[in-house]
Amino acid sequence: MKWKKQLLSLKAYQPGRTINEVKKQYGLEEIVKLASNENPLGCSPKAAEVIRNFSNSYALYPDGYAAELREALSVSLQVRQEQLIFGDGSDELIQIISRALLHPGNNTVMATGTFSQYKHNAIIEGSEIREVPLIDGAHDLNSMLDAIDDNTVIVWLCSPNNPTGVYINNQAITDFLSKVPKDVLVVLDEAYKEYVHAEDYYDALALVKEHKNLIVLRTFSKIYGLASLRVGYGIADETIVKVLDPARPPFNVNALGQAAAIAAVHDQEFVKHCREANINGLQQFYRFCEEQNLSYFPSQGNFILIDFNCDGNEVFQFLMEKGYIVRSGVPLGFPTYIRVTVGSKEQNAGVISKMEEFFAAKAALS
């Protein structure tokens, strides 16, 4: 087979261990999964009701234009319908953007220590990748500007950043966008936007109005709790959407996902409740880290990256055998860290108690 040579060295995305897999391997009856930044509170009751009562014919294709969801988001966000593009999760939008712009001979700029799919798709498309290390978990925007040249076509920003949870403030992103060449697309990935509580966070929709080379990505997989239905969307000037849309597969967002997302948009009280619960959950982890004198990144997402000062895989394995699935920092570029999704109050207390057991076991061996 005459494969693209870059595919031969790539591995498929590793989503982490499943609950059933861990139960079977370790003979456990109960598993708490805190590895994939899913919402522990589930989805809006309004969305759940739509899912239970969904009666559309499964033999029919979904609305390829996502007209009803498009209208609902247009009203909610106060943007024109033509400014929206939908994906099978925001991951597909990353793929669509990469397919539309990247090829051998051009380059793309991104942080290192950020969401892996920016680099993954760039490798597949054969584009040169220019990675700029994070500084204290944050994007080094000045160095990213320095990395841009005449062959740069995309700059990727993740705010809040996955896996650190650090955000870009309003002043920083405003200055950055004013200096990026107008023929370079800036992709602002806001998968965790609804969890943000920082007072100096920017207004992405206002930035889209001002900068015609900016696209903002959001998802229903995180705070909206609809990860299994895979619905993401992008917001940009309609000139960008018009060019990107032919690269979008037909009927890419399923009918059930569209219906549930509409209901979710109409339940912002649920979103507010989840945000407040998440803030309280983060405080549980902050107290633990301070008691144990552990370094961590203050997070604006629904996860926290903690430095255990040892092999992250070791911590991951210990917690998994105790019934808690977290994410080792090793594949994320933080080899002594683990990333933990903020769960319910009880789940957080449970995993923290097992972390304390880990330190006790380490101390007993020393």
Side-chain angles (χ1 to χ4, degrees):
M1 297 292 182
K2 299 177 182 179
W3 303 110
K4 285 183 175 181
K5 63 180 181 180
Q6 56 266 34
L7 278 172
L8 302 179
S9 60
L10 274 181
K11 294 182 179 179
Y13 180 77
Q14 299 298 314
R17 304 290 295 276
T18 66
I19 290 175
N20 287 336
E21 183 183 3
V22 174
K23 278 185 177 180
K24 183 176 180 181
Q25 182 172 357
Y26 297 105
L28 298 169
E29 293 185 3
E30 185 176 351
I31 298 293
V32 176
K33 185 185 176 192
L34 300 172
S36 300
N37 303 339
E38 296 143 329
N39 189 342
L41 302 180
C43 67
S44 158
K46 293 181 179 179
E49 183 178 1
V50 166
I51 293 167
R52 282 193 300 270
N53 297 323
F54 188 75
S55 59
N56 288 29
S57 172
Y58 295 106
L60 300 179
Y61 286 109
D63 175 4
Y65 190 64
E68 292 184 15
L69 176 56
R70 185 180 298 271
E71 181 179 5
L73 270 177
S74 172
V75 172
S76 175
L77 301 174
Q78 291 297 289
V79 298
R80 296 186 302 279
Q81 293 189 28
E82 295 80 11
Q83 290 182 258
L84 296 168
I85 183 170
F86 294 91
D88 185 26
S90 56
D91 300 283
E92 186 183 43
L93 292 170
I94 293 168
Q95 185 180 56
I96 289 169
I97 292 166
S98 299
R99 182 183 182 190
L101 284 164
L102 300 178
H103 58 74
N106 64 25
N107 69 70
T108 179
V109 176
M110 64 192 69
T112 180
T114 192
F115 187 46
S116 62
Q117 292 304 286
Y118 314 144
K119 182 176 181 178
H120 186 90
N121 281 283
I123 291 172
I124 292 174
E125 301 302 334
S127 181
E128 178 194 349
I129 298 162
R130 298 185 174 182
E131 294 182 281
V132 178
L134 299 172
I135 297 179
D136 296 327
H139 287 68
D140 181 356
L141 296 178
N142 288 331
S143 294
M144 294 182 82
L145 283 170
D146 291 340
I148 296 172
D149 65 14
D150 290 343
N151 294 319
T152 304
V153 292
I154 306 175
V155 176
W156 303 90
L157 304 176
C158 188
S159 178
N161 185 51
N162 177 14
T164 63
V166 178
Y167 71 107
I168 303 171
N169 67 38
N170 180 64
Q171 187 63 55
I173 198 163
T174 300
D175 291 346
F176 178 80
L177 290 171
S178 70
K179 297 172 183 175
V180 174
K182 300 308 178 187
D183 61 349
V184 174
L185 181 67
V186 178
V187 181
L188 182 53
D189 188 344
E190 286 195 314
Y192 301 93
K193 184 268 176 189
E194 292 85 1
Y195 283 108
V196 174
H197 52 275
E199 292 184 359
D200 59 347
Y201 196 67
Y202 53 84
D203 180 348
L205 302 185
L207 294 174
V208 165
K209 290 181 181 178
E210 186 176 350
H211 300 278
K212 295 186 182 298
N213 61 329
L214 173 66
I215 183 168
V216 175
L217 305 185
R218 293 181 182 173
T219 182
F220 285 91
S221 295
K222 302 304 180 184
I223 207 166
Y224 287 105
L226 297 173
S228 68
L229 298 182
R230 312 306 296 127
V231 184
Y233 62 97
I235 313 154
D237 187 84
E238 57 196 76
T239 57
I240 290 176
V241 173
K242 185 176 181 179
V243 176
L244 282 179
D245 210 34
R248 179 180 58 84
F251 311 113
N252 61 327
V253 180
N254 69 87
L256 181 56
Q258 291 184 40
I262 292 168
V265 167
H266 290 145
D267 193 355
Q268 291 301 309
E269 281 301 312
F270 176 78
V271 172
K272 180 181 178 181
H273 170 65
C274 292
R275 183 188 304 112
E276 292 172 352
N278 187 72
I279 291 170
N280 293 332
L282 283 170
Q283 292 300 323
Q284 290 179 265
F285 287 104
Y286 294 163
R287 287 193 294 271
F288 163 73
C289 291
E290 288 157 8
E291 289 168 0
Q292 297 290 337
N293 197 29
L294 299 177
S295 297
Y296 64 94
F297 294 102
S299 177
Q300 294 290 323
N302 67 332
F303 54 88
I304 183 170
L305 191 65
I306 304 172
D307 189 355
F308 275 70
N309 300 302
C310 64
D311 184 353
N313 285 338
E314 182 184 359
V315 187
F316 162 79
Q317 184 65 34
F318 180 91
L319 294 177
M320 184 166 58
E321 293 179 12
K322 300 294 183 180
Y324 289 87
I325 307 174
V326 299
R327 191 75 187 269
S328 169
V330 174
L332 304 176
F334 294 85
T336 62
Y337 288 71
I338 63 166
R339 191 192 69 189
V340 189
T341 302
V342 177
S344 67
K345 182 178 180 180
E346 295 73 22
Q347 290 172 338
N348 299 336
V351 73
I352 286 171
S353 72
K354 298 307 177 185
M355 292 174 181
E356 292 169 342
E357 286 184 23
F358 173 81
F359 284 120
K362 292 278 285 186
L365 293 174
S366 61

